[in-house]
Structures are given as structure tokens and as C-alpha cells.
């Protein structure tokens, strides 16, 4: 079972999401022998944001310059790596109410008509179903327990929508929130996240869920 481990936090060893993705991957491998792991660190190797040179896969235009050919090759490599994985573990800290721009840039390269979705006469249809995505969601404050907080976050909600657009219905969240609200709150958040890890990695892959 191929697993793709993706980190996006820019805080290195201080990152809570990196701690949680590492724990999640280790727990998944222990629970599912034979899993093979590929690692992608978007803080170190983020694709560039979409530009005139990198839009070929969306416009259908053939590359005319070396820069366009390089960007097309990068987009193809990233979407191929994503599609080859059965399980994707993603570290997604909340930055300014959304995901890191590095993570957004990666998702922009994955969103390719004919690869991860297609348009039909009834609207878009996802082509990347049958995968399990586990998101390590970290937040300095608490957003999940109030309507106001839920309205402010565009992190988990965005990821659930975009992977659903790709046809992925099994999206699970390992959440640690309130990690900047003092030592006790952080410890409680990490304990809760570890319980989520045990729950989500013990379950079989490719289940339909909205955890």
C-alpha cells in the first residue's frame, strides 16, 4: 500500500503538525504491514504558484519554452505521485485562517482536468476516488466549538471540499487546536490528537467517512 507523507509547516522541528504527521505515518505503517512511504516536504520543495508558464495543463496549450516544459514536467510529476498513493497523510497548520501557501500551490498542481477530475454535462466528477486522506490539522486557537470559529477557518473546510472535488470521500482529521493557549491546553490538544491517530490509523483504508 503506497503512502504519501506531505508536510507543509514552515516551523521545522517546532512544528506540531510535523510531529503529528510523523506519528500518524508511524502508526499507519505499524497497523498496515507492507506500506511503502514517499515523503514530500513542501516547505523545502514547494512548487511555484500558478503563472503563465505553469498553466499549460489547464489550458491544453503545448509548451513553447524551456520554462513551460519544466513547469509542465513538475505538474505531471506531482499529480502522478499523488495518484500513485493509496493513503495521503498531510500536515496542514492553520495560517491566517487557511492552509500554508505552499500547500495551496501543491493542490493547485494536482487539480488537473483529466487526471483528478473531469467536466461532464452534469458538472465536475472526481477521478481520484478510492484513496484515504488523513490531515494533521493544527491551530493555535480553538475554532471547532463555535459558529464564529467555524466560520473563520478555511483550512479543514477547504481541504475537505477540494479532496471531495477530486472524488475522495475518505478524509480523516487528526486535530490539535488551542496549541498556543498555554501548556495545559497544548498538552490536552496533543492527547486528543493522539487519540485521533489511533482511531484513524486502526481503521481500514478507503472507507467513506467525514471524520
Amino acid at each position: 500500500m503506497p503512502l504519501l507523507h506531505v508536510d507543509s509547516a514552515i516551523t521545522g522541528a517546532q512544528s506540531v503538525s510535523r510531529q503529528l504527521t510523523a506519528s500518524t505515518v508511524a502508526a499507519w505503517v505499524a497497523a498496515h504491514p507492507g506500506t511503502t512511504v514517499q515523503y514530500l516536504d513542501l516547505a523545502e520543495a514547494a512548487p511555484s504558484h500558478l503563472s503563465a508558464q505553469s498553466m499549460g495543463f489547464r489550458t491544453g496549450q503545448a509548451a513553447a519554452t524551456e520554462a513551460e516544459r519544466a513547469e509542465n514536467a513538475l505538474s505531471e510529476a506531482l499529480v502522478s505521485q499523488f495518484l500513485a498513493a493509496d493513503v495521503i497523510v498531510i500536515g496542514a497548520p492553520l495560517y491566517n485562517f487557511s492552509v500554508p501557501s505552499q500547500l495551496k500551490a501543491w493542490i493547485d498542481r494536482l487539480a488537473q482536468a483529466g487526471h483528478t477530475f473531469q467536466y461532464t454535462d452534469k458538472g465536475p466528477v472526481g477521478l481520484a476516488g478510492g484513496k484515504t486522506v488523513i490531515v494533521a490539522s493544527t491551530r493555535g486557537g480553538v475554532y471547532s466549538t463555535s459558529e464564529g470559529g467555524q466560520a473563520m477557518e478555511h483550512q479543514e473546510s477547504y481541504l475537505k471540499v477540494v479532496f471531495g472535488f477530486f472524488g475522495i470521500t475518505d478524509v480523516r482529521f487528526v486535530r490539535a487546536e488551542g496549541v498556543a493557549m498555554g501548556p495545559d491546553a497544548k498538552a490536552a490538544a496533543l492527547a486528543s490528537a493522539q487519540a485521533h491517530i489511533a482511531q484513524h490509523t486502526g481503521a481500514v483504508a478507503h472507507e467513506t467517512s467525514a471524520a
Side-chain angles (χ1 to χ4, degrees), residues 21 42-43 61 73 78 93 130 170:
T21 59
L42 294 173
Q61 296 175 346
L78 290 173
D170 187 1

Side-chain angles (χ1 to χ4, degrees), residues 52-75:
Q53 286 72 40
S54 61
M55 283 292 287
F57 69 87
R58 291 200 171 177
T59 63
Q61 296 175 346
T65 68
E66 188 58 39
E68 290 172 347
R69 284 188 285 272
E71 292 289 354
N72 285 357
L74 175 59
S75 296

